[in-house]
Amino acid sequence: MKVTKFGGSSLASATQLEKVLNIVQSDPERHFVVVSAPGKRDGQDTKVTDALIKYYKEYISGKDVTASQEWIINRYQAMADELGFEAKSLTKIAKSIRDLANLPIEDNDFLYDTFLAAGEDNNAKLIAEYFSYKGLPARYVHPKKAGLLVSSEPGNARILPSSYDRIEELRNFDEVLVIPGFFGVTEDNQICTFSRGGSDITGSIIAAGVKADLYENFTDVDGIFAAHPGIIHKPHSISELTYREMRELAYAGFSVLHDEALLPAYRGRIPLVIKNTNNPSHPGTRIVLKHSGETLPVVGIAADDDFVSINISKYLMNREVGFGRKLLQILEELNIRWEHMPTGIDDVSVVLRGRELTPIKEEEILRQLNHNLEVDKAEIEHDLSIIMIVGENMKSHVGVAATATTALSQRNINLAMISQGASEVSVMFVVKTEQRNKALRALYDAFFRDEQSSQVAQ
Ligand code: ASP
């Protein structure tokens, strides 16, 4: 059995819905379909979820909501019209959209989530009806009925472990089950969403719950590219990645799949595949527990911006008991998360995301470092980017870091830092953001292009 999740762009129009139907119909193992809200039909369009946010804002500030309500209802209506069928669910859909504006505003922590969830919920109703109309028996299942119990954290729900047994019972249905993504229900019966883009999480949870053989995540690209296509000209797509490799790449900017979506499928030992609704015969990218054969030492190269480094030196730092703890305590007390901490003998840097700092926090950190920790030098460096080369097979290859540093030095790129975790799944380079593209190209050429094409790429 397969769990098949479709993202918003795959569900944006009648044409897309036809493709979705063909995909589901073409494989009887596709038994569970998880859907997002309708996405953008073109560059100028608005995602239904974003339209719901607008509607919510108008409602809580007492503005007229009629235009927003009608726009959203019409998105569903237009799809049914274009598909040429009289959807009975449309009356319910229209009512559910309008009823949002009767919900209490005061003391309602879940109001925003309830608005947002309506995008996926109504889409699932319409799609289930469309499938049945086209001769594919299908049933809409609300997350409450599916057993998706979540924590009471509005906008950031987490699945409760007790959910999985209930979800497993979904195996007993004969029809194709269409389940809205992105939200669950709390123990107090409130609608609570995952973070944005969270339909991927629902798909992963359902896959783990029903013990699927495969979790298929359909989007609008032929899988995951080995590097950012906006920087590298026509990068190749990766055919197979391990969960750990995916996690490392996602950390450093690969955003095809929601970060939190990997965990349930990984724990359930369910392989995942990212596929293209617009090109379903392409094999896509498989995400597996273990590589099935030989792979290159590096499978992908990711880059992410907006990093900051707090650089500290103090003579004989290595002899001072408790220095590291005191340093991290400064950050902890200011509620700052840090990411990496490369060290030397008398110096240490703490690398963090720029969004963690404010000018006031920076001043306070420097003040405490100078006064309380009595460092010789402390400075904060901005506009840094990280570049990560990722591959589980790196550990069995000699010279990967050397290949990378040689490639970077040949292009005159100044490395601010290098760091490799003990697991050797990735090596991270920190460079000035202005050198990020050049560095990424140098590394892509060094690991993936042969000599001739690397010259063409330059
Ligand atoms: N519709 C939601 C969002 O736009 C969730 C999703 O598409 O996965 O964030």
Side-chain angles (χ1 to χ4, degrees):
M1 280 186 183
K2 295 177 183 170
V3 171
T4 310
K5 183 257 164 181
F6 292 94
S9 62
S10 306
L11 305 163
S13 64
T15 323
Q16 293 302 87
L17 285 187
E18 278 164 359
K19 291 181 193 166
V20 165
L21 173 72
N22 284 334
I23 290 169
V24 178
Q25 246 172 350
S26 68
D27 184 345
E29 300 212 341
R30 293 189 171 125
H31 203 69
F32 305 94
V33 175
V34 175
V35 296
S36 282
K40 293 183 183 192
R41 286 159 292 188
D42 53 56
Q44 316 326 317
D45 202 9
T46 306
K47 288 173 75 165
V48 165
T49 310
D50 292 328
L52 285 159
I53 294 178
K54 181 166 167 271
Y55 173 22
Y56 164 84
K57 287 187 179 153
E58 288 165 356
Y59 175 52
I60 57 160
S61 53
K63 296 201 181 116
D64 182 11
V65 293
T66 332
S68 286
Q69 288 176 335
E70 293 317 303
W71 189 90
I72 297 164
I73 294 166
N74 189 46
R75 282 290 276 114
Y76 297 100
Q77 175 82 55
M79 280 199 277
D81 290 350
E82 275 175 61
L83 290 167
F85 87 115
E86 291 247 340
K88 286 197 211 75
S89 55
L90 277 169
T91 323
K92 280 194 203 142
I93 292 174
K95 184 171 170 351
S96 104
I97 298 292
R98 292 199 184 100
D99 281 353
L100 291 169
N102 296 327
L103 293 170
I105 296 177
E106 298 297 317
D107 295 327
N108 187 354
D109 292 343
F110 298 92
L111 183 64
Y112 183 70
D113 292 38
T114 309
F115 267 72
L116 260 63
E120 311 353 69
D121 195 35
N122 289 309
N123 214 19
K125 288 178 202 160
L126 183 69
I127 291 167
E129 193 183 347
Y130 169 59
F131 282 2
S132 298
Y133 165 77
K134 283 292 194 175
L136 177 70
R139 177 195 285 255
Y140 151 81
V141 184
H142 188 275
K144 181 174 159 67
K145 195 155 175 237
L148 261 132
L149 269 187
V150 295
S151 61
S152 283
E153 294 170 89
N156 198 21
R158 272 156 228 271
I159 189 75
L160 300 183
S162 60
S163 300
Y164 288 106
D165 289 342
R166 276 285 308 280
I167 295 172
E168 197 178 351
E169 291 171 22
L170 296 175
R171 292 176 66 105
N172 301 332
F173 288 90
D174 291 332
E175 306 102 313
V176 168
L177 302 186
V178 184
I179 306 163
F182 190 37
F183 68 98
V185 179
T186 68
E187 279 169 328
D188 297 335
N189 229 347
Q190 301 281 357
I191 298 285
C192 193
T193 71
F194 300 116
S195 52
R196 286 297 306 266
S199 297
D200 287 341
I201 307 176
T202 306
S204 182
I205 292 168
I206 300 288
V210 302
K211 303 195 167 63
D213 300 306
L214 185 64
Y215 170 29
E216 298 177 302
N217 192 297
F218 276 85
T219 169
D220 50 12
V221 283
D222 282 341
I224 297 174
F225 293 118
H228 196 297
I231 302 173
I232 304 294
H233 180 60
K234 293 203 174 148
H236 63 282
S237 75
I238 307 171
S239 56
E240 186 183 89
L241 275 175
T242 65
Y243 273 97
R244 294 190 55 194
E245 288 166 344
M246 185 63 219
R247 161 79 186 116
E248 301 271 332
L249 290 168
Y251 168 80
F254 275 39
S255 58
V256 180
L257 201 69
H258 193 296
D259 254 6
E260 291 165 47
L262 290 175
L263 196 63
Y266 172 72
R267 289 210 177 126
R269 308 185 73 78
I270 318 271
L272 191 161
V273 64
I274 311 246
K275 285 180 70 88
N276 190 352
T277 304
N278 305 316
N279 188 14
S281 58
H282 190 285
T285 301
R286 283 178 74 83
I287 302 175
V288 294
L289 291 153
K290 242 179 116 209
H291 277 301
S292 55
E294 270 304 296
T295 52
L296 295 169
V298 173
V299 295
I301 309 175
D304 205 7
D305 297 342
D306 192 28
F307 280 84
V308 170
S309 174
I310 308 171
N311 303 328
I312 302 145
S313 1
K314 184 174 185 184
Y315 187 56
L316 297 182
M317 181 190 284
N318 60 333
R319 302 238 195 115
E320 196 175 319
V321 173
F323 186 87
R325 181 184 53 76
K326 288 182 213 150
L327 165 62
L328 293 181
Q329 199 168 357
I330 299 176
L331 302 182
E332 187 176 345
E333 279 165 9
L334 291 167
N335 197 22
I336 291 170
R337 281 177 280 227
W338 60 277
E339 307 279 326
H340 307 276
M341 193 159 60
T343 55
I345 301 168
D346 284 336
D347 49 71
V348 57
S349 297
V350 184
V351 179
L352 34 97
R353 305 247 178 202
R355 59 172 181 257
E356 294 289 319
L357 294 178
T358 60
I360 293 174
K361 284 189 178 180
E362 288 189 20
E363 222 176 276
E364 180 57 19
I365 292 168
L366 292 176
R367 193 190 66 74
Q368 292 203 36
L369 287 172
N370 287 312
H371 289 95
N372 306 357
L373 268 67
E374 295 173 330
V375 302
D376 297 330
K377 200 172 146 215
E379 50 156 41
I380 300 186
E381 205 179 339
H382 295 92
D383 301 322
L384 297 173
S385 294
I386 62 164
I387 300 194
M388 303 214 355
I389 55 173
V390 175
E392 292 229 33
N393 270 350
M394 250 174 353
K395 51 179 171 293
S396 49
H397 281 77
V398 178
V400 174
T403 305
T405 47
T406 309
L408 293 168
S409 71
Q410 277 169 354
R411 306 264 179 114
N412 239 335
I413 290 154
N414 199 1
L415 281 177
M417 255 167 258
I418 307 181
S419 157
Q420 183 182 33
S423 57
E424 291 184 56
V425 184
S426 66
V427 183
M428 182 188 82
F429 303 96
V430 180
V431 298
K432 279 271 174 208
T433 299
E434 64 203 31
Q435 294 208 302
R436 178 241 297 134
N437 287 3
K438 211 166 138 195
L440 194 65
R441 287 185 194 123
L443 293 171
Y444 190 87
D445 288 351
F447 288 105
F448 299 127
R449 292 205 213 267
D450 57 36
E451 288 234 317
Q452 205 187 1
S453 59
S454 107
Q455 277 156 24
V456 175
Q458 289 163 33

